[in-house]
Amino acid sequence: MLGSYEIEYEGRRYFSNVVLREYHIFEHDNAHYLVDVGNKAVSPISARLASMIKKVDSAFGCLIPESAMEELRKLKLVTGEEEETSEAVADGESIGSYEEFEYPVVNISLFLAQECNMRCVYCYGGGGHYAGKGMMTEETAFRAVDWLMENSKKAESVSISFFGGEPLMNFSLMRKIVPFAKRQGMKKGKQVFFSITTNGSLLNEEIITFLKEEKIRTFISFDGPSEYQNSQRPFKNGKGSYDKVSANIQKLRAVIPHLTGRATLCGEADPFRVKEGMERAGFTTCFITKASPVLLNTQLADIPSAREEALQRMLAFNRKEMEQLLVAIRARAIDKNYLPGLLYVMAEMDFGQKRYYGCGIGKGMVAISTNGDIYPCHRFVGIEELRFGNIADYHIEGLNDYWRAVVDHLPECWSCWARYFCGGGCFYNNKAHTGDMHRPDSLYCRETRAMIEGLIHLFCDLSKDDKEFLKGVIKYVTEERIFKMPINPTINK
C-alpha cells in the first residue's frame, strides 16, 4: 500500500488514500464516543466528527480536506503516523512478545474435598464430586504445595485457593497445609497467600478464628434472599440452607467485617433482588454471575428466550451498578481493599493496557484434584480429556495451548473491537454454550460489549481529579495486592 499523499486543488490542500487505524464509534445517552482499538484509548467526540470518520473509512481514495485530516491526526487515527506504544497486558502482567512469554504457575485451586453437604441446582461439579469422590490426603496436599513451589519458578509470591466440593469438610487438612506451605515458601523465598471458597454452612468459632489469624481471604457462595438461597442451594437432605448460612455469616462478620460474597443467577432470578439480599446479609463486596450449562453431567436446558430475558435483566443491573460506581468515585467512597470488578475494566482504559486472555487458565493458574491430577482450572476438574497430568510427574515447561490462546488468534474475537477489554471470555462458559473453548457465547459478547460501552461513557464523564483518584487506587492495588494475593472468585460454585 502506497499510503496517504497530499494534493492541492484550487489553493487548498487535500489528502487521499488515508487509511484509519482500527476503531469503534458508538452512541450512548445521545453522546458519541471513539475507541482506538489498538491502544484502548477512548474519547468523546462530536456527532459531526463521528460522521466524518465513518465517511473517510467507507470511501478509500476520496479527497479529505486538510482540516479534517488534522482532526484525524489529533485522534491518532491515521495509520503510519503514530506508533502503537501500549504494552500487552495479560492476567495483570506486562509482557512483550506474548508468544515467547512463559507463565510460572502462581495460583493453584486445591480440591480438599470432592464431596459437598449441599446439592446446588446449577453445580458444575456434579454435586461436588467432579467425576470423582473423596477427600484429599495429607501426602497429596503436601506434594501439591511442593509442586507449586517448584513450578512457580522465580515468582516471589504464590497463592493457594482451598476449593471443593465443600473444602471445610476437610478442615483438619487445611489446618496442616497452611503452616506447611508457609515453611516451604520461606525455604524458597516466596510469600504464600491463601483464600477459600465455601458455602458457609460449616463455619464455627474454631474455623473463623483460623481464617482470621491466618489472613485467609474468604469467598462465600450465597444467592441472596431466602427464597433463592433455599431453592437453589439446598442441603443434601433437601432442607433450605438460608437460615444456617446467614447465621454463620453474622458470626464471621463479627470477626472479619469486610466480607466477599458471590451469587449465581439461575432461572428467573432478579439480580437486583440478589444484590439486595447479599447486602442485607452483610457482604461488602458482591460478585454476581449467571449459571452455565454443566459439562460433567446432562446439560442444563439452554432456552434462547429465557437466556435473552436473563440478558436484559443483567444489562439493566449493570447500568445501575455503573451509576452507583460513578457516585462512589466522585465521593471518593472507594475502599482500596474491596474494589468492584467494574473498576478494573475502567482503569485499563486510563492505562492503555491490553488483555490478551480472559484469565490465567492453564498458565498462571491450575487446579489440583483430590488425587493430585492437574487441570487447567477448577471448573474443568473431572473432564479427563483436559487433564494435564499428575503432580507426581507433570511439570510446567514451554508453551501450551492456553498460552497460545491469544484473543487476536481466536476466530470469533480477532476482529471484535472489544477484544482487548475482554480477552476472549471464560473458556468454561465458551465450551458449555458453544462446544468450543475458543468460541465465546454470542449473548456473553453482547453483554460484555454493552458493559464496556457503558464504562467508557462513565470514564469519559470523570473529571481530571476523578481520574487521578482512580489511577491512585489501581496503582495501590496493583503494587500492594494483586500480585501478592490473586483474586479468583468462582462461578457456579
Side-chain angles (χ1 to χ4, degrees), residues 222 224-225 249-250 253 272-286 317 321 324:
F222 186 78
I249 290 171
Q250 304 317 308
R253 282 184 64 197
F272 290 98
R273 293 200 60 212
V274 170
K275 177 77 177 293
E276 180 184 3
M278 296 177 76
E279 291 179 335
R280 190 184 306 116
F283 291 106
T284 52
T285 301
C286 304
F317 177 75
E321 290 286 283
Q324 294 176 348

Side-chain angles (χ1 to χ4, degrees), residues 105 108 110 112 136-152 160 173 176-177 180-181 183-184 188 366 368-374 389-395:
V105 174
I108 59 171
L110 203 58
L112 300 187
M136 180 173 283
T137 65
E138 181 178 320
E139 178 184 2
T140 300
F142 286 6
R143 181 177 287 183
V145 171
D146 287 336
W147 185 91
L148 172 62
M149 296 301 166
E150 178 183 353
N151 288 275
S152 58
I160 297 174
L173 178 59
K176 297 176 182 177
I177 294 172
F180 176 78
R183 290 195 301 270
Q184 299 305 93
K188 297 287 187 177
V366 298
I368 300 177
S369 68
T370 53
N371 66 355
D373 284 341
I374 305 167
N390 190 277
I391 54 175
D393 53 28
Y394 181 84
H395 300 277

Side-chain angles (χ1 to χ4, degrees), residues 103-164:
Y103 290 82
V105 174
V106 296
N107 186 347
I108 59 171
S109 295
L110 203 58
F111 276 66
L112 300 187
Q114 284 178 218
E115 298 283 349
C116 190
N117 60 342
M118 287 188 181
R119 284 295 178 268
C120 302
V121 297
Y122 45 70
C123 179
Y124 60 81
H129 294 156
Y130 294 85
K133 300 181 180 181
M135 303 288 175
M136 180 173 283
T137 65
E138 181 178 320
E139 178 184 2
T140 300
F142 286 6
R143 181 177 287 183
V145 171
D146 287 336
W147 185 91
L148 172 62
M149 296 301 166
E150 178 183 353
N151 288 275
S152 58
K153 300 180 182 180
K154 296 181 180 180
E156 296 179 356
S157 62
V158 294
S159 175
I160 297 174
S161 304
F162 297 114
F163 206 78

Side-chain angles (χ1 to χ4, degrees), residues 189-209:
K190 300 177 186 291
Q191 197 168 6
V192 187
F193 294 90
F194 303 93
S195 64
I196 184 172
T197 299
T198 173
N199 61 33
S201 65
L202 299 179
L203 291 170
N204 56 35
E205 184 177 347
E206 178 189 9
I207 293 173
I208 291 173
T209 300

